Amino acid sequence: MPLVSTKEMFRKAYDGNYAVGAFNVNNMEIIQGITEAAASLNAPLILQVSAGARKYASHTYLVKLVEAAVAETGLPIALHLDHGADFEICKSCIEGGFTSVMIDGSHHAYEDNVALTKKVVEYAHAHGVMVEGELGQLAGIEDDVNVSAEDASYTNPEQVQDFVERTGVDSLAIAIGTSHGAFKFKPGQEPKLRFDILEDIAARLPGFPIVLHGASSVPQEFVKQVNAYGGNIPGAIGIPESELAKAAKMAVCKINIDSDLRLAMTASIRKYFAENPSHFDPRQYLAPARTAIRDMVAHKIVNVLGCDNKA
Ligand code: G3H
Ligand code: 13P
Ligand code: ZN
């Protein structure tokens, strides 16, 4: 089976009241860990690549690794550009075999976001590729852009219909309380989703797939594990998984998770070196790190996304 489009995936997710996990990939072990979990649970999958990942591993390596995962698992896997900043990177990924791209115009003024998104949609659709747009700004760090909590803004439901109609996007990322990275909420802040905004948006866009970014929950056992072996991640917390699971049953069809995988992988590697300080074969510490990613993804598929047995 070749790489698949997200169109059919999202239609099934919307009708079936679950979400598909979109996990960020940077190297072979991450791709293997994620796809092993999805294969064992028969779950559809979106593997996504940021500009930073393309810079780190190169476009060709990542595409070939993802193609290898498709060949090994036979799963429906879509390959997606995460946070495309401009037309050029979207074009390059469309020409380079991706089946979906995100054009993130959320930092621009509304009319500029519409114009940029529309331009990408026209090019992408001419090549059979799906497009995710974004309205509203999440707090946190993505690529080199750092949005402070003060500058973050919830999506305005009154804009969504106009945006979708004028741009022709296939899915829409919205800001309803999630944020990027591991440092999401300060002590005293309550991590919660604005279900009222999600409901309002869903009512204005019947049948239309909604995307949540910044959906790592930063499980405390992994923060503690990283810190226990010499790390220093202070007081990080995310939106509880139960709230994300509720959103997955609503109009949310794609949930982006990266930081939780990074935490799981790094916690495993730190533990390994604390226990085996003189080992130096990368396979020795990357194999358990890959297993940690697999277990985290399996946990998300069952407890957050609800997409097990939906491939
Ligand atoms: O939202 C951003 C993703 O976590 C990707 O992060 O740009 O560091 O690869 P990155
Ligand atoms: P997290 O940092 O919460 O994992 O979010 C990842 C993301 O939104 C990628 O686009
Ligand atoms: Zn994101």
Side-chain angles (χ1 to χ4, degrees), residues 24 26 50-53 82-83 141-143 180 213 258-259 262:
N24 288 72
N26 295 279
S50 69
D82 192 26
H83 292 286
I141 301 173
E142 72 206 34
D143 271 326
H180 285 109
H213 283 245
D258 185 8
S259 297
R262 295 180 180 191

Side-chain angles (χ1 to χ4, degrees), residues 287-301:
R290 181 172 57 191
T291 303
I293 291 208
R294 181 199 69 192
D295 294 348
M296 175 63 81
V297 171
H299 169 84
K300 298 290 180 185
I301 287 172

Side-chain angles (χ1 to χ4, degrees), residues 278-296:
S278 48
H279 284 189
F280 57 87
D281 179 343
R283 292 171 298 188
Q284 290 173 315
Y285 57 87
L286 288 175
R290 181 172 57 191
T291 303
I293 291 208
R294 181 199 69 192
D295 294 348
M296 175 63 81

